[in-house]
Amino acid sequence: MIEFPPVIDLDSIYVLKEYFGYESFRRGQQAVIDAVLAGDDALAIMPTGAGKSLCFQVPALMMDGVTVVVSPLISLMHDQVMQLVQNGVAAAYINSSLSFEQNRIALERAAAGAYKIIYVAPERLETDDFMYFARRADIAMVAVDEAHCVSHWGQDFRPSYLNIGKFVAGLGRRPVVSAFTATATDLVREDIMRLLGLQDPIVRATGFNRENLYFEVRKPRDKFSDVIAYLEAHPGQSGIIYCATRKSVDEVAAGLQQLGFPAASYHAGLPQHERLTVQQDFVFDRAPIMVATNAFGMGIDKSNVSFVLHYNMPKNIESYYQEAGRAGRDGSAADCILLYSRQDSQINQFLIDQVDEDNSLTDDELSAAKARDYRRLREMENYCNTTNCLRQYILDYFGDTDPCDCGNCGSCNSDTQVTDVTIDAQKILSCVSRMHGRFGLSVVIDVLKGANRKRLREAKLNELSTFGIMAGQPDELIRQVAQFLIQEGYMQVIGDRYPVVGVTQQARAVLKGETTITMPLAEILNEPTSSKAERRRLSSAKKLTAGIEADPQLLANLKDLRMKLATKEKVPAFMIFSDAALLDMCIKLPTNEDEFLTVSGVGKVKLEKYGAEFITEIAR
Ligand code: ADP
Ligand code: MG
């Protein structure tokens, strides 16, 4: 008799559609899934929102036995398990939010094979109960989410993550081990592999690019009015407004509430129970606008966040990208807009200055850390001032070498014209060279504009021949040209705490009139941005839906229906369907079950549960 190889009857695409309702994998997902299904360990480094969860959830459904997911936060576990159950997957979690008895029952059921996936907090792994379960159970895979928590070098070190390696080693039969994180420098990556005891893992780092995010920097005179204009142009959308301080959180939130916007506020100064309540209000869309400090966000997996506005500039690009990355997780077009003012720089500078003692660091280490923080701050400021592609800037910063075809950021979409700025450049360069590399850009601009300042007179800068030669020109124009000259290597910035500018060799040809300088320049600097931004948002949304327009009334009706169902079932609206799924319904206009099943995000269980009601609503 001929022996046939075992037939794999569930292929991963089938599982993806059946349980999660998606047609195809995103970049990087398939490779990781294939590896763990083949029995290999894996380390996946993918940006926030890229879809790491599916990389362990899909194979978990296909492997014999149970997958243990280690996750650092109770709220994360809770949301993910809820979503899985919504999709018809047998899943549960074991953590301190359950009573001793509830945990015992869950483990009992898990050992009996009732679940395909269980989520646990890392502290659990050490307990006798859990070890007793683990020895009896058939564990197919241990998946470590937010794996950077194992490393001292990471941002959120969790000592209990160090138990994971020991736990795996203590199992009778070694399961596949997979690890997932959004941020891993080389040091962190090494730590993850070593401390989790990964064996010859495949390592997949997908690019940092998030195509659906629109990036923009604005410099409004009045930030609050700018926020209002934005919110008025985006009614009914959910988003986060990050502010630098608790005080500004309170002010902005109160201002919005007064105007009738459904806003809540969150910062670390609020009592724990209150923080939990507002967080839930946000997740359940009772208060779809969240005004918060950076204390808010970790553990929030809300997929329908359509915008992240920064009321102030964060301290570095890492923080910015992490916070902004909370927008558009479901792949829909979303806005990441930073409202910058010079004061933001000063506040951040002040905060770094202030740190003059850290018991865990020697003096040398402390000054090195400060120098690093100043440098990172400078890079953040450059982001706010560049006229080049913002997406490219971020990708370059993270060392992502993938080519980026942007067309979806404030620089790429701005109404700029390539302008000859040779004369302006000559004025700036000759002024800078006369200042002998002893002053920063702000002083240079003051001199060029001929500002009446004591400080300039004291340094005799008002006696320079270039004093006032650009009087009457907008600061912003001078700054943009200067920034461009720095980017292109005609000028150089030196120094961390007190950065100063000087000219380079390259400047000579410009000063002698041998080189012309052209750069993209906004037609009207400082034009009110709200209408312009709206136009851009529409164009980028269109790009994502391949030119087909959704009927806004239908979309609104479907959202209402979703809200009704969510309230009835007491789950957040996005767990019924994501915004992306509703948008897809508006485009595909399904009239029967088969057509409904082709909607992105509709799997078998969702079809059975909600198909009829949505089809009826669409027909109506
Ligand atoms: P991460 O953990 O990497 O930040 P998540 O796993 O939370 O990201 O996924 C983010 C969102 O992307 C979720 O709403 C998820 O349903 C969606 N998603 C993941 N994979 C796909 C896919 N292949 N097609 C469509 N949507 C996907
Ligand atoms: Mg995740």
Side-chain angles (χ1 to χ4, degrees), residues 347-595:
I347 291 171
N348 276 301
Q349 178 102 15
F350 172 76
L351 290 175
I352 303 173
D353 287 348
Q354 258 199 337
V355 183
D356 43 11
E357 218 178 289
D358 183 335
N359 293 333
S360 69
L361 298 178
T362 66
D363 285 355
D364 280 354
E365 284 170 344
L366 180 64
S367 64
K370 277 182 145 192
R372 180 199 62 202
D373 290 347
Y374 288 128
R375 260 196 317 276
R376 288 185 178 172
L377 177 58
R378 297 283 103 78
E379 307 238 35
M380 185 73 239
E381 288 168 349
N382 290 344
Y383 173 84
C384 295
N385 287 312
T386 186
T387 49
N388 290 344
C389 173
L390 295 175
R391 186 183 312 277
Q392 189 72 60
Y393 186 96
I394 293 172
L395 296 182
D396 287 348
Y397 183 85
F398 288 114
D400 181 340
T401 51
D402 284 356
C404 125
D405 163 31
C406 176
N408 191 24
C409 78
S411 300
C412 291
N413 293 28
S414 74
D415 303 321
T416 56
Q417 264 180 347
V418 177
T419 313
D420 186 331
V421 292
T422 311
I423 306 278
D424 295 317
Q426 285 169 338
K427 288 178 182 171
I428 295 170
L429 290 172
S430 87
C431 186
V432 169
S433 75
R434 282 179 170 77
M435 291 166 76
H436 303 294
R438 290 186 3 241
F439 301 92
L441 195 53
S442 297
V443 183
V444 172
I445 293 174
D446 279 348
V447 172
L448 283 164
K449 295 202 63 165
N452 181 15
R453 294 243 159 92
K454 194 163 146 228
R455 194 167 144 218
L456 302 189
R457 287 192 296 275
E458 279 170 1
K460 294 197 178 352
L461 292 172
N462 58 332
E463 293 168 17
L464 293 179
S465 59
T466 51
F467 185 78
I469 52 169
M470 293 184 91
Q473 266 164 289
D475 285 21
E476 188 53 29
L477 171 91
I478 306 176
R479 189 170 289 280
Q480 284 196 9
V481 176
Q483 210 70 42
F484 184 78
L485 292 171
I486 294 167
Q487 268 155 29
E488 299 298 311
Y490 298 100
M491 303 201 293
Q492 206 177 7
V493 180
I494 310 163
D496 297 325
R497 173 63 181 88
Y498 299 102
V500 294
V501 284
V503 296
T504 65
Q505 285 292 330
Q506 225 178 298
R508 226 185 260 172
V510 184
L511 287 168
K512 282 196 201 147
E514 294 165 4
T515 307
T516 56
I517 305 276
T518 58
M519 66 176 283
L521 211 56
E523 273 174 57
I524 310 159
L525 288 161
N526 288 333
E527 179 198 334
T529 40
S530 54
S531 59
K532 222 162 66 183
E534 178 59 9
R535 219 164 50 231
R536 280 178 216 149
R537 199 189 58 81
L538 285 174
S539 84
S540 70
K542 254 192 234 144
K543 204 167 94 178
L544 285 163
T545 53
I548 305 168
E549 296 246 20
D551 174 359
Q553 186 55 49
L554 176 58
L555 185 61
N557 293 350
L558 295 183
K559 281 190 178 175
D560 287 347
L561 175 58
R562 175 177 70 174
M563 194 54 161
K564 207 182 79 194
L565 294 168
T567 313
K568 202 169 81 191
E569 294 187 32
K570 298 198 173 61
V571 298
F574 68 87
M575 284 195 189
I576 306 265
F577 283 123
S578 68
D579 283 3
L582 295 188
L583 206 62
D584 205 30
M585 287 178 208
C586 292
I587 289 162
K588 293 195 173 127
L589 300 172
T591 56
N592 57 40
E593 294 203 341
D594 283 343
E595 288 173 18

Side-chain angles (χ1 to χ4, degrees), residues 22 24-26 29 47-54 301 303 329:
Y22 300 131
S24 57
F25 285 109
R26 290 198 187 141
Q29 288 179 325
T48 307
K52 289 184 284 297
S53 321
L54 282 188
D301 252 352
S303 76
R329 271 176 186 263

Side-chain angles (χ1 to χ4, degrees), residues 113-145:
Y115 305 118
K116 289 307 288 179
I117 305 180
I118 58 168
Y119 281 72
V120 293
E123 291 77 14
R124 281 285 139 184
L125 301 175
E126 303 161 75
T127 62
D128 292 343
D129 271 7
F130 197 80
M131 216 47 222
Y132 178 66
F133 149 77
R135 294 230 178 77
R136 286 179 303 153
D138 177 14
I139 298 180
M141 173 161 70
V142 172
V144 184
D145 205 4

